[in-house]
Amino acid sequence: MNDSELHEYVVVGSGPGGAIAAHRLLELGKKVLLIDVGDDDPDLRGKIPDLPFEKLRTTDGNQREYFLGSAEEGIPRGRVRVGAHLTPPRQFVRRRADRILSTELSGDTSIMQSLALGGLGAAWGAGIATYSDAELAAAGLDPGLINSAYHEVITRIGASGVPCEMISKLGNRIPRPLPLDDNAESVLSRFRSLPKNSSEHELELGPYPLAALSESREGREKQPLHDMDFYSDSRRSVFRPRYILDEISSHPQFSIRRGLLVTSIKRAGSLMELKGVHVDGGEVWKLSARRVILAAGAIGTARILMNSPGLGENSGIQPLLSNPYRYWVMLNYPRLGKRSEKPRHSLAQLYGLFRHRDKPDSEVSLSFYSYRSLLLFKLVREFPMPTQIGLFLARLIVDSLVIVGVHERGTEGRIRLIRRSENGPAEIRIEAPTEIETTNLQLKSLARRLRGLGLVRLAEVDPGWGSSIHYAGTIPAGRAGVIRVGSEFQVEGCPGLFIGDSSPWKVLPARGLTLTLMAHARSVAEMAAGESR
Ligand SMILES: Cc1cc2nc3c(=O)[nH]c(=O)nc-3n(C[C@H](O)[C@H](O)[C@H](O)COP(=O)(O)OP(=O)(O)OC[C@H]3O[C@@H](n4cnc5c(N)ncnc54)[C@H](O)[C@@H]3O)c2cc1C
């Protein structure tokens, strides 16, 4: 790479945001260079036979390698708070980031960052949701633009589900949902048979809308229900950003450079100068671009901008929004002693929305998983009893276990710059909010409602603030004293530098953010291309 290289459009990051932005720029006839570190582990992924979980457990002589890892890296050691469920074939998603992005954490904080091909989207759970118009407006997004982008994004990534409140904006256009397993079916049928509760809190429940295929399409097949979704990308059924990169890889206007870490950006006349390091050799590189879309993830984007001359000096502290998250290990007692017979996937089976009738902001979003293929020893760590007894108990009840993930509306912590670096990434510290809003009463009421559906809570795990792996709001619009975005999501003081991830959002609703993030990236690509309305 030579310092005088000039590119028309550069996209930084190949996660859900970057992949969608690059694709849209190409559709609009632009020439695009995508830069990423782009770690991957196709070899280990390739060693997993395309067979169901039970078959692999009973027949595959090589199963140890992907279930536990050749160095037993699939067995969490110590107090792993976030990412304990990242199996060996998924661990590449965070490996490089943990090694080279210096990140201190305040005591009750746990976060995950990625420098992988596809970013965190290489491991995401594919749960999709649309935000209401009020939520979009509160986040600083234009509902008109995002609502039409939702449709385009869904067509691109593929999805399945029933029209429901979670994806109300997609109407009837979404293909049928994946089949539910026995556990989820029993919970849902109990919910449907009960009279609508007239208490002050309302609960909505249904099959989880997923970016996973229930009908095969070009190059990808319908979900095989192998219960191997935490390990393999069987038949490319679950959307991964790298499928978009595969699709555009032969486009004459597209190029991708992997192995490059961007460390700073500065304005140089009418151009932008990007500077970074080769992650393998450590050499510094530079290039110039007319327009840049930063999609390095909300934390990654802030880290680059805080290290950038002319921008980073403005602030040593940026905000960070994340959804408080905990999960409940629950027993579906009406199914106790019954075997789970139906084939199933490992993604969320059911979603729930729980809120105070008069307070939409109190909405909590719930994802219901059955438990098997993640292997019991991980779960037993959370049981309040000796491991051997826990394991014995867990084996008896595994077919009637339900894990309920509870996401609350985003709260604001901060990113503090510790040290800028001339030729490397900035060092940062991430701090949880100092005042945590208490939602105990609402969660107590939720636990009561779930008990009415036959779900008894056995354990609660709170892995710390940031463990939802949902991040936004690091470069907010219109906030004094911080680096911020202005019109068309361009960084203030740096026209031509666009933000294509969730960094500019002003709030983070409880529902999963990634579909909205992709819709935002698409509309930012249109703005960068001068095509927005
Ligand atoms: C296990 C798991 C389950 C999840 N489940 C869901 C779910 O069900 N629903 C949902 O909505 N969300 C889910 N998420 C969250 C979702 O993955 C993220 O919201 C989403 O990936 C964010 O997309 P992004 O493009 O903004 O950033 P990222 O996915 O973080 O991608 C950032 C990209 O930028 C690159 N990058 C970063 N810094 C640099 C740099 N300095 N130089 C060069 N490249 C850089 C990275 O390599 C990466 O390619 C889940 C996440 C995980 C890990």
Side-chain angles (χ1 to χ4, degrees):
M1 188 182 282
N2 82 50
D3 288 8
S4 59
E5 257 188 53
L6 172 61
H7 294 266
E8 196 187 348
Y9 285 85
V10 170
V11 174
V12 178
S14 67
I20 288 282
H23 184 275
R24 185 62 183 141
L25 287 173
L26 291 170
E27 278 185 332
L28 295 170
K30 307 299 178 194
K31 192 165 182 202
V32 181
L33 169 68
L34 190 146
I35 295 180
D36 202 334
V37 172
D39 254 7
D40 200 0
D41 194 354
D43 294 344
L44 185 51
R45 215 167 36 237
K47 287 182 183 165
I48 309 173
D50 186 22
L51 291 169
F53 174 74
E54 306 89 335
K55 187 92 182 156
L56 293 170
R57 289 286 288 129
T58 48
T59 62
D60 188 18
N62 294 327
Q63 57 177 284
R64 190 181 177 84
E65 209 174 339
Y66 47 87
F67 283 130
L68 299 182
S70 46
E72 298 191 334
E73 63 274 24
I75 303 176
R77 314 260 174 216
R79 177 116 175 76
V80 180
R81 302 179 82 200
V82 61
H85 59 306
L86 279 190
T87 60
R90 297 268 190 254
Q91 287 184 3
F92 74 93
V93 166
R94 66 179 302 176
R95 198 175 289 138
R96 267 300 175 139
D98 288 351
R99 269 188 216 145
I100 66 178
L101 298 178
S102 166
T103 313
E104 280 182 18
L105 299 176
S106 69
D108 43 359
T109 309
S110 44
I111 58 147
M112 196 191 290
Q113 300 167 89
S114 177
L115 290 174
L117 190 70
L120 296 167
W124 79 316
I128 52 170
T130 55
Y131 288 174
S132 69
D133 283 3
E135 286 169 331
L136 291 173
L141 303 171
D142 176 337
L145 289 180
I146 298 295
N147 290 340
S148 71
Y150 275 142
H151 289 281
E152 304 298 337
V153 169
I154 281 295
T155 310
R156 172 96 3 250
I157 67 175
S160 54
V162 267
C164 64
E165 204 177 332
M166 195 78 162
I167 48 164
S168 52
K169 301 269 181 78
L170 303 175
N172 290 321
R173 295 200 219 167
I174 188 159
R176 68 193 153 86
L178 300 177
L180 293 179
D181 69 6
D182 301 298
N183 238 345
E185 221 164 45
S186 77
V187 174
L188 190 57
S189 75
R190 251 170 273 135
F191 173 74
R192 286 180 175 154
S193 67
L194 289 175
K196 286 264 174 211
N197 197 313
S198 56
S199 78
E200 58 183 12
H201 285 101
E202 54 188 356
L203 174 67
E204 184 74 33
L205 203 67
Y208 212 110
L210 294 166
L213 304 183
S214 59
E215 292 165 10
S216 299
R217 53 188 256 176
E218 224 170 83
R220 293 174 56 199
E221 289 177 50
K222 69 176 187 190
Q223 167 63 227
L225 304 179
H226 282 171
D227 195 9
M228 283 296 290
D229 303 290
F230 289 111
Y231 300 86
S232 73
D233 289 334
S234 181
R235 305 184 197 191
R236 296 159 72 97
S237 159
V238 177
F239 168 73
R240 304 282 168 214
R242 75 170 187 282
Y243 304 154
I244 293 185
L245 302 179
D246 288 350
E247 195 184 318
I248 58 181
S249 62
S250 56
H251 195 293
Q253 302 267 79
F254 178 69
S255 53
I256 178 166
R257 295 217 189 128
R258 289 166 64 181
L260 303 188
L261 182 80
V262 177
T263 54
S264 64
I265 300 185
K266 74 170 187 212
R267 186 93 195 148
S270 62
L271 300 176
M272 238 88 52
E273 185 184 274
L274 279 76
K275 186 173 173 190
V277 288
H278 290 266
V279 287
D280 290 324
E283 309 87 20
V284 173
W285 57 265
K286 283 182 191 165
L287 58 78
S288 300
R290 288 194 204 287
R291 295 199 157 196
V292 175
I293 298 183
L294 261 185
I299 299 172
T301 288
R303 188 190 294 272
I304 294 170
L305 292 177
M306 291 174 95
N307 205 37
S308 294
L311 293 171
E313 285 92 43
N314 294 349
S315 163
I317 295 178
Q318 294 291 126
L320 168 65
L321 294 170
S322 183
N323 298 119
Y325 173 72
R326 70 195 77 206
Y327 62 89
W328 292 347
V329 182
M330 304 196 92
L331 177 69
N332 181 10
Y333 74 79
R335 279 202 50 84
L336 194 57
K338 297 189 181 136
R339 271 188 61 75
S340 216
E341 306 287 355
K342 286 171 127 192
R344 65 180 187 218
H345 58 77
S346 345
L347 308 168
Q349 297 279 337
L350 301 177
Y351 81 87
L353 296 173
F354 185 71
R355 68 198 148 215
H356 192 286
R357 279 177 202 285
D358 307 324
K359 299 179 195 154
D361 280 358
S362 69
E363 184 173 280
V364 169
S365 101
L366 310 170
S367 9
F368 294 68
Y369 294 83
S370 294
Y371 196 92
R372 182 177 55 164
S373 63
L374 269 183
L375 307 174
L376 283 174
F377 68 85
K378 291 186 188 166
L379 190 63
V380 164
R381 292 157 47 94
E382 311 302 348
F383 284 11
M385 60 188 70
T387 312
Q388 285 308 328
I389 301 175
L391 203 53
F392 175 72
L393 179 72
R395 284 196 186 115
L396 289 178
I397 62 176
V398 63
D399 277 350
S400 39
L401 280 180
V402 175
I403 309 296
V404 181
V406 184
H407 284 99
E408 298 176 50
R409 184 182 169 78
T411 54
E412 188 177 307
R414 53 192 179 182
I415 304 182
R416 189 186 290 276
L417 179 70
I418 297 179
R419 197 168 300 115
R420 281 196 192 89
S421 167
E422 175 83 10
N423 292 323
E427 292 173 34
I428 58 173
R429 176 180 164 84
I430 295 185
E431 296 169 358
T434 39
E435 281 176 35
I436 307 262
E437 285 168 42
T438 163
T439 48
N440 290 349
L441 273 181
Q442 186 173 350
L443 294 183
K444 264 192 188 153
S445 160
L446 170 62
R448 265 199 309 278
R449 284 298 289 276
L450 295 182
R451 211 175 308 133
L453 298 177
L455 295 171
V456 180
R457 190 166 58 180
L458 302 179
E460 173 178 89
V461 182
D462 180 350
W465 188 83
S467 63
S468 60
I469 327 181
H470 292 178
Y471 309 118
T474 51
I475 313 292
R479 166 107 55 110
V482 296
I483 307 167
R484 53 186 189 227
V485 294
S487 77
E488 299 199 313
F489 301 100
Q490 292 172 83
V491 176
E492 276 190 8
C494 207
L497 177 55
F498 293 81
I499 307 290
D501 55 33
S502 52
S503 305
W505 301 2
K506 294 192 270 187
V507 299
L508 185 60
R511 302 175 187 195
L513 75 162
T514 308
L515 177 62
T516 305
L517 186 158
M518 291 190 265
H520 166 67
R522 185 183 156 93
S523 73
V524 168
E526 290 169 357
M527 292 169 195
E531 299 274 341
S532 67
R533 69 182 152 96

